[in-house]
């Protein structure tokens, strides 16, 4: 980080925080169109196999979507025959430990911890608990922030995990 | 093994008559749900048959090891030389402590953390602290060692006393290992991408059967067909009519089976979703290695979609290992089919395509997993007979004994069960 760039103001902190809560709510409620509206064209959505020095172009990931693949993912979720999300999982995510760094004059890097409770209603009728941390890269756009990077680091990512067909 | 309460309630037939549960064109669902049958399989199949453990490229240097399972048995696969590996039970012969907890690493020797017994990479017991307390020489306390055989870097192991040769086990399936390896200009895979591990709450044989079942594709993967612009490799198999499907299935004998897509690919790298001029360095290195005609043939025919009994599936751009956990739980392992000596851009495309198809978030396997879960749950409480008759009257038997049929026919699954039955007869 460039030392000369100013620290995050309280207003900026609140703005990023509001964005992250909104993003989590759209994801938890499977509001795909509203979630997709938060994205920039250079969006990367990445779930590596947990912590560690995994490289996206070398190590197989749980998920690694650029913007067009993410559009396919959302299209698939909206077909009505994405069996692994039909019916959709009721979910709630708890987010905490928000820390924000500045990337540039109009870009932020945010870190959070999360716990996600997913009711797996497609086949098991059992609750899955997902835990880890997330990184977001956000950019000032015309009227609000937009997201151009989201990395989800699951604490059990390099171990056997159930299906993750929802937007986490 | 983790049996749920439900699993235990399913114990209906402690000395199951397995051959009686398999007809030529149907099977009894208790084969998927009965924990006694699962236990018999771990013994008869995963101890007695050749089982895929890992690839030599995963342990590139002497002393490198990976942790794997042969059925439910924890094992370590050690690289011991240029083209050699040992497969040892990951359990101290003294008091049964797990020897290595890390998924991979490098060791000069294996030291148990409980009482300090030391084994070499061949599994021999070489040291015990305070040896004055022992009278015997300890030779019978070496680690349990599997027999190992390696074909083109694929390491197979068995605990059978007198196994058939690996060549006999692979039979007609061996060509799939050649077909995959020959996509590399150096003739070898280089599996350095690691593995995703995807939990299926269904029986391991359901994963096996699904891998060579063409009939489900239009239904389970309908959302994928509609979510993407259908093109290239998926063109022929998605949204097609029964009489227009050119891909076909093949029962290769010995439990191995495949879907053959080769003739649906009209030109080199069509299976990869690109024109050949996208990767000129790759094409020229392949021509230098194999000659122009053979390289053209390899690159046109593309990778195999082949299941090797009991736990290996070469899924075109990925390699898959099926790990049984209990009658109702399995893990699907997946790594990109990286090619040694191929340009980085080729392997990167292999990675991206594999991630699209396989893994916990993939466009395809996420849906296969949920169907498997539903199938297992629906069968569990009310066992009965299941139909496997599709296409039985329109198969073609070739001179080498392999049986081919329409893409949507259950020929591969009938072949699997025919072989399975012989193991319990």
């Amino acid at each position: 980080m460039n030392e000369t760039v100013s620290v995050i103001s309280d207003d900026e902190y609140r703005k990023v925080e509001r964005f992250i809560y909104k993003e989590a709510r759209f994801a938890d409620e499977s509001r795909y169109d509203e979630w997709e509206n938060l994205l920039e064209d250079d969006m990367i959505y990445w779930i590596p196999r947990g912590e560690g020095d995994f490289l996206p172009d070398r190590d197989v990931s749980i998920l690694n979507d650029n913007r067009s693949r993410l559009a396919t993912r959302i299209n698939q979720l909206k077909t009505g025959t994405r069996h692994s999300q039909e019916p959709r999982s009721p979910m709630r995510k708890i987010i905490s430990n928000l820390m924000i760094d500045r990337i540039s004059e109009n870009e932020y890097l945010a870190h959070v911890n999360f716990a996600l409770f997913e009711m797996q209603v497609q086949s098991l009728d059992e609750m899955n608990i997902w835990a880890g941390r997330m990184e977001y890269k956000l950019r000032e756009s015309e009227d609000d922030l937009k997201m151009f990077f989201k990395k989800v680091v699951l604490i059990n990512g390099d171990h056997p995990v159930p299906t993750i067909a929802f937007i986490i | 093994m983790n049996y749920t309460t439900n699993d235990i309630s399913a114990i209906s037939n402690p000395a199951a008559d397995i051959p009686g549960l398999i007809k030529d064109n149907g099977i009894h669902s208790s084969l998927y749900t009965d924990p006694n049958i699962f236990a018999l399989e771990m013994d008869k199949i995963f101890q007695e048959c050749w089982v895929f453990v890992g690839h030599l490229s995963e342990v590139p240097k002497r002393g490198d090891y990976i942790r794997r399972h042969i059925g439910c048995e924890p094992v370590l696969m050690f690289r011991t030389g240029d083209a050699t590996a040992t497969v040892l039970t990951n359990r101290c012969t003294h008091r049964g402590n797990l020897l290595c907890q890390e998924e991979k690493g490098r060791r000069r020797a294996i030291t148990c953390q409980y009482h300090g017994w030391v084994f070499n990479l061949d599994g021999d017991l070489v040291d015990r602290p305070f040896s004055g307390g022992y009278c015997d020489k300890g030779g019978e306390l070496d680690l349990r060692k599997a027999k190992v055989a390696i074909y083109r870097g694929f390491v197979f192991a068995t605990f059978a006393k007198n196994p058939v040769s690996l060549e006999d086990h692979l039979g007609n399936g061996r060509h799939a290992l050649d077909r995959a390896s020959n996509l590399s200009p150096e003739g070898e895979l280089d599996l350095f991408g690691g593995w995703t591990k995807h939990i299926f709450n269904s029986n391991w044989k359901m994963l096996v059967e699904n891998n060579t079942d063409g009939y489900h594709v239009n239904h389970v993967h309908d959302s994928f067909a509609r979510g993407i612009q259908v093109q290239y490799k998926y063109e022929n198999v998605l949204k097609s009519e029964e009489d227009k499907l050119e891909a076909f299935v093949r029962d290769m004998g010995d439990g191995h089976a495949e879907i053959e897509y080769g003739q649906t690919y009209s030109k080199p790298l069509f299976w990869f979703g690109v024109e050949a001029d996208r990767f000129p360095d790759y094409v020229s290195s392949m021509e230098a290695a194999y000659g122009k005609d053979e390289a053209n043939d390899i690159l046109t025919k593309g990778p195999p979609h082949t299941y090797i009994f009991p736990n290996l599936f070469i899924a075109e751009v990925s390699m898959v290992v099926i790990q049984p956990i209990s009658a109702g739980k399995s893990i699907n392992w997946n790594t990109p089919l990286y090619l040694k000596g191929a340009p980085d851009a080729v392997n990167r495309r292999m990675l991206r395509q594999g991630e699209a198809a396989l893994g916990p978030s993939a466009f395809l396997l996420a849906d296969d997993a949920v169907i498997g879960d539903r199938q297992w749950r629906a069968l569990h409480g009310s066992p009965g007979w299941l139909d496997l008759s599709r296409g039985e009257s329109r198969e073609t038997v070739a001179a080498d004994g392999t049986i081919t049929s329409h893409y949507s026919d259950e020929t591969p699954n009938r072949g699997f069960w025919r072989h399975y039955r012989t193991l319990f007869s």
Side-chain angles (χ1 to χ4, degrees):
Chain A
M1 195 181 122
N2 188 338
E3 301 267 334
T4 63
V5 175
S6 59
V7 294
I8 306 292
S9 70
D10 283 356
D11 284 350
E12 287 175 313
Y13 185 94
R14 290 294 169 208
K15 188 172 185 174
V16 169
E17 184 182 46
R18 271 197 304 275
F19 179 93
I20 286 169
Y21 288 160
K22 182 169 66 179
E23 189 270 344
R25 184 167 189 179
F26 291 161
D28 287 355
E29 296 176 2
S30 302
R31 290 157 68 174
Y32 305 126
D33 291 333
E34 289 159 282
W35 190 80
E36 197 171 17
N37 276 336
L38 303 177
L39 310 181
E40 289 271 72
D41 288 344
D42 55 346
M43 175 70 186
I44 297 288
Y45 172 41
W46 183 31
I47 311 178
R49 299 200 322 272
E51 297 288 356
D53 52 0
F54 295 114
L55 298 176
D57 287 342
R58 182 192 68 187
D59 301 299
V60 64
S61 295
I62 292 171
L63 181 151
N64 190 340
D65 287 357
N66 61 13
R67 184 67 186 86
S68 77
R69 185 170 281 193
L70 189 47
T72 300
R73 183 174 300 283
I74 291 167
N75 283 342
Q76 186 185 29
L77 284 163
K78 284 157 54 174
T79 57
T81 55
R82 175 62 160 166
H83 307 291
S84 46
Q85 268 305 300
E86 289 295 340
R88 288 163 191 175
S89 299
M91 294 182 282
R92 285 295 158 193
K93 198 185 286 122
I94 312 296
I95 283 175
S96 75
N97 301 59
L98 172 62
M99 297 181 72
I100 305 170
D101 293 323
R102 186 187 300 284
I103 299 171
S104 69
E105 201 51 52
N106 66 338
E107 292 177 334
Y108 305 96
L109 171 63
H111 302 262
V112 301
N113 291 345
F114 75 93
L116 168 64
F117 305 88
E118 179 216 359
M119 190 61 198
Q120 204 276 32
V121 292
Q122 298 81 33
S123 55
L124 305 179
D125 295 321
E126 286 175 4
M127 188 140 82
N128 287 326
I129 297 172
W130 303 88
R133 64 181 182 88
M134 298 193 278
E135 286 178 29
Y136 307 79
K137 289 181 186 171
L138 308 176
R139 185 180 293 141
E140 294 280 6
S141 146
E142 289 140 28
D143 46 359
D144 199 357
L145 293 168
K146 297 260 186 184
M147 177 162 63
F148 64 100
F149 179 82
K150 180 172 178 179
K151 177 180 174 184
V152 182
V153 184
L154 298 167
I155 60 171
N156 58 341
D158 205 24
H159 287 78
V161 291
T163 295
I164 316 171
F166 49 84
I167 302 289
I168 191 165
Chain B
M1 284 177 281
N2 299 313
Y3 294 138
T4 67
T5 325
N6 283 341
D7 283 332
I8 290 165
S9 71
I11 298 175
S12 52
N13 186 359
D17 167 28
I18 289 180
L21 301 172
I22 304 166
K23 298 183 201 166
D24 289 340
N25 58 9
I27 52 158
H28 194 266
S29 66
S30 57
L31 290 161
Y32 299 120
T33 54
D34 186 338
N36 290 301
I37 292 175
F38 180 83
L40 290 169
E41 290 171 343
M42 293 307 102
D43 191 28
K44 280 281 179 191
I45 297 176
F46 285 88
Q47 294 280 314
E48 297 287 320
C49 298
W50 287 102
V51 175
F52 175 74
V53 180
H55 193 272
L56 274 186
S57 60
E58 296 183 83
V59 284
K61 297 200 171 107
R62 187 182 143 78
D64 285 349
Y65 77 87
I66 48 176
R67 248 189 90 179
R68 292 290 151 84
H69 287 83
I70 297 183
C72 294
E73 180 86 335
V75 296
L76 300 166
M77 179 178 120
F78 273 99
R79 184 69 175 256
T80 52
D82 278 352
T84 57
T86 53
V87 174
L88 313 168
T89 291
N90 185 10
R91 182 174 57 237
C92 186
T93 45
H94 175 214
R95 302 299 296 265
N97 184 38
L98 193 78
L99 290 166
C100 294
Q101 170 65 20
E102 297 80 14
E103 286 298 305
K104 59 182 182 178
R106 185 178 300 168
R107 298 281 173 92
R108 295 167 69 180
I110 313 159
T111 304
C112 180
Q113 291 167 330
Y114 196 0
H115 302 94
W117 284 27
V118 182
F119 303 87
N120 65 21
L121 305 189
D122 290 319
D124 303 324
L125 176 63
V126 292
D127 192 31
R128 285 178 287 187
F130 301 157
S131 58
Y134 290 106
C135 303
D136 62 282
K137 293 202 176 79
E140 290 181 3
L141 293 166
D142 294 344
L143 295 181
R144 189 168 181 238
K145 304 170 198 182
K147 291 187 173 65
V148 171
I150 302 171
Y151 184 72
R152 301 199 71 160
F154 291 77
V155 180
F156 295 84
T158 178
F159 289 107
K161 282 201 178 69
N162 297 298
V164 300
S165 69
L166 177 63
E167 193 179 354
D168 282 351
H169 167 74
L170 291 175
N172 292 315
R174 194 176 64 173
H175 91 90
L177 310 188
D178 294 328
R179 186 172 170 181
S181 304
N182 288 347
L183 284 166
S184 149
E186 297 183 28
E188 282 180 49
L189 300 181
D190 194 2
L191 303 185
F192 59 83
W195 301 79
T196 60
K197 296 154 203 164
H198 184 187
I199 298 173
F200 280 53
N201 292 286
S202 55
N203 186 268
W204 68 276
K205 301 185 293 302
M206 292 170 164
L207 282 64
V208 166
E209 292 180 283
N210 188 61
N211 287 333
T212 52
D213 174 68
Y215 198 26
H216 78 284
V217 173
N218 280 326
H219 305 279
V220 174
H221 304 306
D222 166 76
S223 67
F224 179 56
R226 291 195 284 134
I228 61 163
Q229 288 245 260
V230 174
Q231 57 179 343
Y232 286 105
K233 61 188 275 189
Y234 298 112
E235 202 163 22
N236 188 252
V237 295
L238 292 169
K239 293 183 166 177
S240 209
E241 291 165 34
E242 185 168 11
D243 59 356
K244 289 186 181 142
L245 285 162
E246 293 171 53
F248 61 86
V249 293
R250 181 185 285 127
D251 162 15
M252 305 156 91
D254 303 304
H256 318 312
E258 65 185 358
I259 300 180
E260 179 58 81
Y261 290 102
Q263 69 288 356
T264 71
Y265 305 139
S266 52
K267 49 193 173 178
L269 296 182
F270 189 81
W271 58 271
F272 214 23
V274 295
E275 302 290 329
D277 61 9
R278 174 78 167 269
F279 297 115
D281 294 350
Y282 176 47
V283 173
S284 61
S285 67
M286 289 292 286
E287 288 174 348
Y290 297 98
K292 204 167 175 122
D293 288 348
E294 196 183 341
N296 189 69
D297 188 47
I298 291 169
L299 294 173
T300 301
K301 210 175 163 203
H305 183 112
T306 304
Y307 163 68
I308 302 293
F309 188 92
N311 68 331
L312 175 64
F313 172 42
I314 305 179
E316 302 168 53
V317 295
S318 300
M319 215 162 91
V320 169
V321 174
I322 296 160
Q323 181 189 354
I325 302 291
S326 66
K329 187 172 178 183
S330 316
I331 312 287
N332 204 54
W333 294 51
N334 154 55
T335 193
L337 197 79
Y338 282 152
L339 307 171
K340 190 172 182 187
D344 289 347
V346 168
N347 281 332
R348 205 156 49 235
R349 188 171 180 85
M350 208 67 99
L351 169 67
R352 288 286 102 82
Q353 290 201 346
E355 285 167 340
L358 291 151
S361 293
F363 295 116
L364 300 181
L365 261 275
D367 292 327
D368 294 301
V370 80
I371 297 290
D373 291 1
R374 291 175 184 170
Q375 189 187 3
W376 196 86
R377 264 144 200 80
L379 290 172
H380 188 268
S382 51
W385 287 91
L386 303 172
D387 178 67
L388 269 182
S389 67
R390 185 172 172 79
E392 63 179 333
S393 62
R394 60 176 179 182
E395 295 176 334
T396 305
V397 182
D400 62 1
T402 60
I403 306 170
T404 58
S405 203
H406 187 268
Y407 176 70
S408 65
D409 288 348
E410 284 156 346
T411 304
N413 293 346
R414 283 192 291 275
F416 171 86
W417 288 108
R418 199 177 303 119
H419 180 67
Y420 180 101
R421 186 168 53 191
T422 65
L423 300 174
F424 294 95
S425 297

